[in-house]
Structure formats: structure tokens, C-alpha cells
Amino acid sequence: MSLFSKKRKPVSHMTGETDHHHNNSGSNGPSSGMEETSGGRHPHHPLPPIPTNGHHSLPPSTPSRHHHPAPSSNSAASVAKVTQPKLVFHCQQAHGSPTGLISGFTNVKELYEKIAECYDIQPAEILFCTLNTHKVDMNKLLGGQIGLDDFIFAHRKGRPKEIEITKSEDALGLTITDNGAGYAFIKRIKEGSIIDRMKYINVGDHIERIDQTSLVGCRHYEVAKMLKDIPKGTTFIMRLIEPLQAGFSNIGPRTNPGTAKKSYGSGKETLRLRANGPARVEEAPDSVVEAAVEKINSLLESFMGINDADLATQIWEMGQEKTNTMDFAEAIDNSDLEAFGFTDDFIFELWGAITDAKAGRLRK
């Protein structure tokens, strides 16, 4: 009998598999109605400040002897609607392009559509986006939050490649994430692993197919499970799509970005993208939230082989107001997170991270 509820899976000891993993980042702001254009601003130029209080100051009225009735609530709502600030983000293609202005999106999929419209390409051409760098830097992936002064770089599909892999060990050594719009890709490669010894496979590569099974549209955890379930000793073909790169950026040794710190944007306020519900402007995460999300994400990677800051944030928010493990487990079982099949062991680990963060025992 489970410790929590009938829905909870029985206690089991997990192996810490880091073989397969999810941002987006991803791991989904208000519509501004601004047209997308290209040309102009260099990415290193600071963006103009954007008001975020929902209103612009109105000039004082001219004194009059005549009495004017106060505007109706409908009229006031109209003024508020008209003066809603326009959230506009600067964007470039990572391999080089003019600068575009992007607005009017409420989730990652719509963001990709806006970028594609701006550059007259298909949304399916975009593998993922990074913030404030054109490099394939997995610590700067665009996930569920964008700082209001962040610069977006879109990484497009490059050349495909098919690699024959023999699973000679239990774990391949991959951490997998996804872009929130149907593409899973490699976020990290464990040093000394099977994949690390295959130099043609790199961080940022989209895993398009395993043998004849297409993985387009799959979430990170689905890809992770599929790779983990391949029997030891099996030989299979993995089809990968690498990010499009320009010029000499193709030349150089593979680097491991795993030690760099996670960036949550350079602004004090961020646009929070939600998969279900409207996007909204929020205060940037404080040090407690950042530490909690980072710890929870490391647990996701150790226990499940996925990397997903958005999922980690959702888990933190779900447990933030709970007072005990039972309530936390019940909240997970009654949410869309129930599909992940978290074990009781993993629930205990997550709750420990949440309580440590709330008590100030985690430090960013």
C-alpha cells in the first residue's frame, strides 16, 4: 500500500539514470498588435524601458466651469485597454540575420510562429531559442520566462546525420530537454559515457528519430523513456538534426556547458509564458525561488533523466504553500503531473528540496 494515496506508485529505489532528459526550457505576453519588422538594432544595444503597470499617465484636465460626469467603468476599461504597454522583443537568427521585432505571442509555440513570420520561414525550421547569446548554450535556453530586456536568438535546423549506436552499457549518458513545441534535443552529455565517445553527437542536436520511430512531437520524458527501455546490447540508428551554424563556429572541440550558472534574464521583470492560460509579467525569481528550481531540476535529471526548468518551477509552486508531504503528494496526483508517475521516493526528495528552500537552507 502506498504511503500517500491509491494513485501513488509503490515505493521503489530509482537508479539515478541520466541517460535521457527534456525547457523549456522548457521547457508558455499580452498581444500588442505590433507588426514584425526586421533591420535596425544591434543585439548589444540596450532596449528602451517598457512600462509594466498597465497604464500610461494621463495629462491633467484643463480647468473648466462646466461639470463633466465621471467616465463610466466601460470608458475607463477602454482607456486601460488602449494604454496597455506593448511588449516587444528583439530577435535574430543565431547563425546571422537582421534584427526583428517580435510581439503578440502567449506561449512558446506562438513565439516560434512569430519569429518564422518575421523571417519568412516555416516554424518547424526553428529548433530552439537562446537568450542573449547566439551560441548553443544550454544554460541560456528560452523556457517559460523571458526578461523584458532579453534578446532572443533563434536556432534553425542544420544538417541531418544518422549515427549507429550499440548500447553496451545501461545508460547512454544523455540529458534531454525539449523546446516546448515538439522537438526534443540533447542538453548535456555525460563525460566518459557511450555518447561522449561518439564525437559526431553534440549538445543541441535534435533527436528526430530512433530507427523508424519518429520522435517529433514527443516530450523529453517520452524520449528519455524510449532510450532507457532499449535493451543493453542492442544496436540502433539515431537520426539527429544539428543546429544551423555559420562560418568558423563549426570548428572547435565539443564543450560541456554543465558548470555554467542558469540565467533567468537580465531584467527585474519577466514575461512568464504558460502552456495553459495567458502570459503575464511577473517579478523575476528571487534567490530562494532560483535555488529551489535549480535543486528540483537537478533531482529531475538524476531520477528521470530529463531537464525542465518549467516543470521544476511548477513543482515548486505546487509545494510552496503545502505544509506536509501528504498534501504535496495529493496535489501532484490531482494535477497534470500525475502522468509522470513520480514514485514515493522521488516525492520525498522533491519535498525535501522544497522545505530546504523555504527554510533558507539552499543557497543560489
Side-chain angles (χ1 to χ4, degrees):
M1 178 74 67
S2 170
L3 300 179
F4 300 120
S5 72
K6 293 182 180 179
K7 286 186 179 181
R8 289 253 99 262
K9 295 203 172 185
V11 175
S12 62
H13 188 73
M14 302 194 72
T15 62
E17 169 72 44
T18 58
D19 195 40
H20 335 284
H21 311 39
H22 176 357
N23 205 333
N24 231 212
S25 288
S27 48
N28 310 345
S31 176
S32 66
M34 175 166 286
E35 295 291 328
E36 291 74 41
T37 60
S38 62
R41 189 180 300 275
H42 188 276
H44 300 296
H45 290 181
L47 303 184
I50 301 175
T52 58
N53 61 1
H55 299 80
H56 294 301
S57 298
L58 298 176
S61 58
T62 305
S64 170
R65 292 174 301 177
H66 302 287
H67 173 70
H68 296 282
S72 67
S73 59
N74 288 339
S75 175
S78 299
V79 171
K81 184 175 181 180
V82 169
T83 58
Q84 181 72 23
K86 296 178 180 179
L87 299 179
V88 181
F89 296 87
H90 290 72
C91 175
Q92 286 185 358
Q93 297 183 66
H95 65 283
S97 75
T99 300
L101 300 178
I102 308 299
S103 65
F105 56 90
T106 60
N107 55 51
V108 172
K109 187 175 181 180
E110 288 182 5
L111 168 62
Y112 287 8
E113 291 171 353
K114 292 293 184 179
I115 293 173
E117 182 181 341
C118 179
Y119 291 107
D120 195 23
I121 60 176
Q122 293 298 313
E125 280 293 304
I126 302 172
L127 287 180
F128 55 84
C129 295
T130 51
L131 297 177
N132 307 315
T133 179
H134 69 281
K135 297 180 180 179
V136 180
D137 185 343
M138 295 292 104
N139 295 286
K140 298 297 179 68
L141 283 174
L142 185 154
Q145 296 182 104
I146 310 175
L148 295 189
D149 57 355
D150 279 345
F151 199 104
I152 301 170
F153 288 89
H155 296 256
R156 290 177 58 183
K157 284 183 176 179
R159 65 179 181 181
K161 51 194 177 184
E162 292 190 352
I163 312 294
E164 183 178 273
I165 302 169
T166 298
K167 192 176 182 182
S168 56
E169 302 171 11
D170 291 329
L172 292 172
L174 290 178
T175 299
I176 297 174
T177 187
D178 69 48
N179 66 357
Y183 290 164
F185 54 94
I186 299 171
K187 175 160 185 172
R188 207 155 17 247
I189 298 174
K190 184 178 180 181
E191 187 175 356
S193 65
I194 295 173
I195 298 300
D196 186 48
R197 296 193 291 269
M198 308 185 75
K199 299 304 179 182
Y200 292 104
I201 300 178
N202 295 286
V203 166
D205 287 351
H206 160 47
I207 305 175
E208 183 183 59
R209 194 169 65 219
I210 297 175
D211 287 333
Q212 300 305 312
T213 302
S214 173
L215 302 181
V216 174
C218 292
R219 294 300 310 275
H220 48 41
Y221 57 89
E222 295 173 311
V223 177
K225 185 177 186 305
M226 185 176 297
L227 290 170
K228 187 174 183 178
D229 288 346
I230 294 174
K232 185 177 177 180
T234 301
T235 297
F236 62 96
I237 302 294
M238 182 184 290
R239 179 179 169 88
L240 303 159
I241 308 292
E242 64 183 29
L244 182 62
Q245 297 177 333
F248 293 103
S249 60
N250 281 303
I251 302 174
R254 175 194 290 165
T255 58
N256 183 359
T259 57
K261 291 186 177 181
K262 169 75 178 176
S263 171
Y264 284 87
S266 53
K268 292 182 178 180
E269 290 185 306
T270 62
L271 179 65
R272 177 78 177 274
L273 303 176
R274 296 178 178 274
N276 301 308
R280 68 187 188 196
V281 175
E282 297 180 346
E283 289 294 320
D286 60 25
S287 59
V288 172
V289 176
E290 287 191 16
V293 169
E294 187 174 285
K295 176 62 177 179
I296 293 170
N297 208 13
S298 71
L299 291 173
L300 288 170
E301 186 166 325
S302 297
F303 275 71
M304 302 182 65
I306 63 175
N307 189 290
D308 188 343
D310 296 339
L311 175 60
T313 301
Q314 184 179 356
I315 292 171
W316 159 254
E317 291 176 345
M318 190 167 292
Q320 191 176 10
E321 302 302 324
K322 300 297 182 289
T323 58
N324 58 68
T325 320
M326 299 281 287
D327 289 347
F328 176 55
E330 185 177 355
I332 287 180
D333 285 341
N334 292 328
S335 73
D336 56 351
L337 299 185
E338 194 269 340
F340 285 87
F342 294 153
T343 65
D344 290 350
D345 281 351
F346 190 47
I347 293 291
F348 276 120
E349 293 286 348
L350 292 175
W351 181 248
I354 291 168
T355 54
D356 283 347
K358 290 195 290 186
R361 291 190 290 269
L362 294 181
R363 289 287 180 264
K364 177 66 178 168

